[in-house]
Amino acid sequence: MSHDLFEAARTAMGFAYAPYSKFPVGAAIRADDGKVYAGANIENISFPQGWCAEPTAIGAMIMGGAKKIVEIAVIAEKLPLCPPCGGCRQKIAEFASPSTRIYLCDETGVKETMTINELLPHSFKTEVIG
Ligand SMILES: [Zn+2]
């Protein structure tokens, strides 16, 4: 992973809106168009209405016109490793191939690299819908 993806995730974490959990998270995607799309978690006083950093980055990627996640970095300053939550794994899988790399970072850089297939080996999918 090039350093710019990590830096984008760390910068995005600084934009987190997390007044309730005080648990900022940043995510950065390198997409199939070669661009980096970043996002942070955005909470809400009605707690279930908040969302994670990964879907913010996915939304930016889609609105930027890209279609696929090539690689993604995730960072949370309060955890040595912040693997995406279950729901985010499914959201990432929607736009990834099984070998898409996920970089789990701390403040200094990448600490562990996994594929989406390792994180979510049995993602929901169906041939019926396509
Ligand atoms: Zn999540």
Side-chain angles (χ1 to χ4, degrees):
M1 183 194 74
S2 57
H3 198 66
D4 65 326
L5 200 63
F6 167 71
E7 285 298 335
R10 189 163 65 175
T11 299
M13 182 173 64
F15 289 98
Y17 178 74
Y20 309 109
S21 71
K22 304 195 186 326
F23 189 83
V25 182
I29 292 167
R30 187 180 320 283
D32 55 347
D33 63 357
K35 294 181 182 169
V36 172
Y37 298 95
N41 51 329
I42 302 173
E43 296 179 346
N44 191 281
I45 193 165
S46 176
F47 288 176
Q49 301 305 322
W51 63 89
C52 299
E54 296 91 332
T56 305
I58 290 170
M61 178 190 82
I62 294 299
M63 294 312 296
K67 306 287 187 208
K68 295 292 274 184
I69 299 170
V70 175
E71 53 186 358
I72 178 170
V74 181
I75 180 172
E77 64 186 10
K78 292 184 177 174
L79 279 182
L81 285 178
C82 186
C85 76
C88 285
R89 294 177 193 197
Q90 184 72 43
K91 288 182 175 78
I92 292 166
E94 181 78 17
F95 301 101
S97 64
S99 61
T100 294
R101 294 176 305 278
I102 301 175
Y103 306 108
L104 309 178
C105 308
D106 71 4
E107 290 275 5
T108 63
V110 178
K111 290 300 161 193
E112 195 166 333
T113 302
M114 307 188 80
T115 66
I116 187 63
N117 195 52
E118 289 171 327
L119 279 172
L120 188 66
H122 302 287
S123 66
F124 176 78
K125 53 188 146 195
T126 173
E127 303 304 319
V128 175
I129 298 171

